[in-house]
Amino acid sequence: MEIGEFFAVRPKEGLEELESHELKYGNGAIQAIMNFMLKNQLVDVFLSFTERKDHFSLKPVIVEEPKEIFDISLSQFIAYNLPNIDSVSKYVASKLNGAKDNDKKIGVIARPCDIRAFIELAKRDQISLDNLFVIGLECIGRIDPRELKKVLKKAEIDPESVVNEIINNGVLTLELNTGTTQAFKLGEEIDVRSYCNQCPKKVPKENVADLTFWIDHPLEGNEEIFEVRSTQGKEVLEKAATEVIEVEKLSDENIQQLKNYIASLEQTALELQESEFAKLDEMSDEERFDYIISNFEQCTSCMMCIRACPICYCKDCNVVRRRKELDPIMINLTRLSHVGDTCIACGKCSEVCPKSIPLCLISKKLVEDLKELWPGHEPGHTIEEIPPRSWKGMKAASGAE
Ligand code: SF4
Ligand code: SF4
Ligand code: SF4
């Protein structure tokens, strides 16, 4: 195996633990790999997901017992993600000591935006990438369970009957406890969240994932596709292939099919994002100012955006502490000045805002416009980029020794 190679992966036949569990997602390859990693201490724990109050709402949990991996709520995580203030990166930073304990290797499944958040947090010494094993997820976006429940109501389907969800080739297929399935075309009957539709980074491109995992792909069969992204990813896949999985290297033609599939999704997303930016660009300076301020005026100072943002890491946040005395406009301008240039466009702030303020769009546009000032600036792209507003960054920009 070499870094950069893609493999179709399936679990070996006769894996007792796998067969005794009712698998909720995919063909079982990812669960077999994660189970193998825990059993063989290739990681000490996995950050996993379990249902919070119903099938549509998850919370993060730490799994140490290999057999518990088979109960991972993967289909919900892929379809809906962690809700509200939870995110994989924030959990690692705040609840797992930023993965800074050198005697504890932490395995995570992370979307491309989680990985970008890891990078921004690592730049600020909030997490250590060295102690993570990252399985990067190909991600076409996440569905808002509230929207899905409206669609289910219209279709007279009891939400409690949903046991599993698969997103593939632009279709969300729900498996029901009656043994039947119900398919909804994305973009027509239900859609992913708007900022996901505009997210032009559907696979992790940064040099942080050890493996990437593709389940939504146009290739024949139900194989799960893995790409080897690092030396430790290669070692894990090679070892797992000796015991629990069967791997088949993808042909160049299949790899091209995968790349074309993602490139087309990313191109559509880029065009949508550009059209949103264009709406702001077409406004006069006064109109844009009014648009932003009138949105900020709606703010109720609930602080959910700050709590949800994966790159807001201050333990003693000045804005939170002074929220009752600060004007809502000042709250938002302060927040924007703190995270606006590092926003990795995950959309969490927009998701949680009770006033539907387009926070993600405003931050993203700020990042875009700042590229004129800081050419090449790309939050979450590489650990090597010095944050332009840091002391080191400002010193470099001024040419000082
Ligand atoms: S912002 Fe991008 S990476 Fe993050 S959940 Fe949405 S589509 Fe996936
Ligand atoms: S500002 Fe919003 S979109 Fe940007 S990283 Fe924070 S939560 Fe995500
Ligand atoms: S989530 Fe919305 S309402 Fe709450 S503090 Fe943030 S901008 Fe204001």
Side-chain angles (χ1 to χ4, degrees), residues 10-280:
R10 70 191 79 86
K12 281 200 166 137
E13 278 184 22
L15 293 179
E16 213 175 289
E17 279 176 311
L18 193 59
E19 287 176 359
S20 62
H21 276 79
E22 194 191 338
L23 260 195
K24 283 204 170 175
Y25 202 73
N27 67 9
I30 184 139
Q31 293 89 342
I33 293 171
M34 290 164 77
N35 172 273
F36 175 81
M37 288 177 73
L38 277 175
K39 264 187 184 160
N40 291 279
Q41 283 130 30
L42 302 175
V43 289
D44 295 292
V45 295
F46 254 110
L47 172 53
S48 177
F49 325 103
T50 188
E51 290 176 18
R52 184 191 297 269
K53 55 180 169 41
D54 62 24
H55 178 83
F56 301 92
S57 176
L58 297 184
K59 61 180 178 190
V61 285
I62 293 300
V63 169
E64 292 178 51
E65 267 298 312
K67 66 174 183 323
E68 287 174 13
I69 280 299
F70 297 114
D71 299 322
I72 183 170
S73 297
L74 197 55
S75 95
Q76 296 108 299
F77 177 69
I78 291 177
Y80 317 122
N81 200 10
L82 295 172
N84 300 326
I85 60 169
D86 284 332
S87 60
V88 167
S89 46
K90 197 146 191 161
Y91 192 87
V92 170
S94 61
K95 299 281 180 356
L96 293 172
N97 192 28
K100 289 181 180 173
D101 301 329
N102 290 332
D103 57 349
K104 192 185 227 182
K105 190 89 173 169
I106 301 168
V108 293
I109 300 180
R111 306 171 114 79
C113 54
D114 293 318
I115 291 179
R116 295 198 295 279
F118 279 145
I119 290 175
E120 284 305 302
L121 291 169
K123 280 183 198 170
R124 289 159 183 80
D125 200 26
Q126 298 303 305
I127 62 162
S128 163
L129 295 173
D130 295 342
N131 300 317
L132 290 178
F133 185 96
V134 179
I135 301 177
L137 199 64
E138 168 225 16
C139 174
I140 68 146
R142 47 205 174 100
I143 289 165
D144 183 341
R146 290 167 300 191
E147 294 304 314
L148 180 61
K149 282 179 186 170
K150 285 185 204 161
V151 173
L152 291 177
K153 191 169 177 196
K154 221 166 134 198
E156 297 181 355
I157 296 171
D158 179 1
E160 286 189 14
S161 67
V162 177
V163 290
N164 199 18
E165 38 279 282
I166 306 278
I167 297 178
N168 203 14
N169 271 326
V171 176
L172 167 73
T173 305
L174 301 180
E175 288 175 10
L176 309 179
N177 59 9
T178 51
T180 57
T181 59
Q182 186 80 32
F184 300 96
K185 200 155 176 33
L186 293 178
E188 291 178 14
E189 295 157 286
I190 180 80
D191 212 351
V192 298
R193 292 173 186 270
S194 61
Y195 43 80
C196 290
N197 260 334
Q198 295 166 31
C199 169
K201 295 172 180 169
K202 307 285 187 202
V203 284
K205 297 183 170 64
E206 300 73 21
N207 198 17
V208 168
D210 296 293
L211 294 170
T212 53
F213 167 58
W214 300 51
I215 199 157
D216 170 26
H217 58 73
L219 307 184
E220 297 273 310
N222 76 339
E223 269 89 349
E224 295 175 8
I225 307 295
F226 285 81
E227 182 192 3
V228 177
R229 296 293 297 267
S230 74
T231 308
Q232 66 172 352
K234 170 177 139 69
E235 283 167 8
V236 163
L237 213 58
E238 279 175 348
K239 282 183 185 158
T242 63
E243 290 192 36
V244 293
I245 51 169
E246 285 174 6
V247 298
E248 188 182 338
K249 194 174 156 198
L250 285 197
S251 65
D252 290 346
E253 192 192 334
N254 280 164
I255 295 174
Q256 202 50 51
Q257 264 180 285
L258 284 182
K259 290 189 174 169
N260 291 348
Y261 177 63
I262 282 296
S264 136
L265 290 174
E266 290 185 339
Q267 182 58 30
T268 308
L270 196 63
E271 284 164 15
L272 274 171
Q273 178 175 280
E274 277 168 4
S275 79
E276 287 303 304
F277 286 171
K279 285 183 202 157
L280 291 171

Side-chain angles (χ1 to χ4, degrees), residues 309-311 335 339 343-349 360 363:
C309 178
I311 51 169
R335 182 177 164 273
V339 296
C343 169
I344 45 84
C346 69
K348 274 279 175 182
C349 49
C360 177
S363 305

Side-chain angles (χ1 to χ4, degrees), residues 313-331:
Y313 61 82
C314 297
K315 291 194 174 53
D316 180 23
C317 172
N318 207 16
V319 181
V320 172
R321 195 159 17 87
R322 298 180 57 205
R323 66 188 179 282
K324 290 203 176 119
E325 59 189 270
L326 287 175
D327 178 79
I329 297 171
M330 190 48 71
I331 286 179

Side-chain angles (χ1 to χ4, degrees), residues 254-308:
N254 280 164
I255 295 174
Q256 202 50 51
Q257 264 180 285
L258 284 182
K259 290 189 174 169
N260 291 348
Y261 177 63
I262 282 296
S264 136
L265 290 174
E266 290 185 339
Q267 182 58 30
T268 308
L270 196 63
E271 284 164 15
L272 274 171
Q273 178 175 280
E274 277 168 4
S275 79
E276 287 303 304
F277 286 171
K279 285 183 202 157
L280 291 171
D281 283 334
E282 279 157 15
M283 294 177 188
S284 66
D285 288 350
E286 290 75 20
E287 284 168 341
R288 198 176 315 112
F289 179 82
D290 286 347
Y291 170 78
I292 292 173
I293 295 300
S294 62
N295 265 297
F296 286 174
E297 275 173 346
Q298 309 299 315
C299 170
T300 60
S301 314
C302 71
M303 302 290 110
M304 286 296 279
C305 51
I306 291 179
R307 293 177 66 205

Side-chain angles (χ1 to χ4, degrees), residues 355-367:
K355 291 294 177 182
S356 305
I357 301 173
L359 296 164
C360 177
L361 173 66
I362 293 169
S363 305
K364 268 199 309 190
K365 183 68 171 97
L366 179 63
V367 166

